[in-house]
Amino acid sequence: WPNGGELDIIESANGWKNKVSFHMGNETPCVLDDAEVNKCSKFPETNNGMNYNSLTDYHTGRLGTAPNADLDLTGDYLAKRPGVMAAEFTGDFVKVFYIPDDEMPE
């Protein structure tokens, strides 16, 4: 880790809001194109200073990238409103969804 890559669809600690994060190592660098990430909706980088760069090395302060909409998905919120977290992967994109139980299609 993290050279093989990692997608965290639920990454939350110490009462912070949940983040979707991407982590890659030196052998597999990846920088997301901010214009593509924000093309349909705003997904600001929530790992301050990472600039959509997924390179992760906690010893040097590199946290990976976390482009996220401003949702209040804290652990407390998710515990009170359970649902499904799902990820869709294609050759062109990764999308992550949260669907509350009371909004699940039948």
Side-chain angles (χ1 to χ4, degrees), residues 2-101:
N3 285 317
E6 177 182 70
L7 166 64
D8 291 312
I9 61 173
I10 296 180
E11 183 165 61
S12 181
N14 303 320
W16 297 342
K17 292 180 182 180
N18 179 55
K19 294 181 180 182
V20 174
S21 299
F22 299 97
H23 303 283
M24 302 296 283
N26 286 322
E27 296 174 15
T28 54
C30 176
V31 178
L32 304 179
D33 180 333
D34 65 334
E36 285 294 314
V37 171
N38 293 289
K39 182 167 51 176
C40 296
S41 187
K42 296 295 180 200
F43 291 93
E45 171 67 79
T46 58
N47 278 345
N48 293 337
M50 296 299 101
N51 299 316
Y52 301 102
N53 189 337
S54 64
L55 181 61
T56 304
D57 181 348
Y58 294 138
H59 300 290
T60 61
R62 298 184 82 50
L63 305 175
T65 186
N68 287 267
D70 188 24
L71 301 175
D72 193 22
L73 298 181
T74 62
D76 187 52
Y77 177 90
L78 292 170
K80 292 176 182 172
R81 193 160 187 222
V84 173
M85 296 291 293
E88 176 184 9
F89 293 80
T90 75
D92 297 319
F93 63 82
V94 175
K95 294 180 183 179
V96 177
F97 304 91
Y98 164 64
I99 307 166
D101 280 348

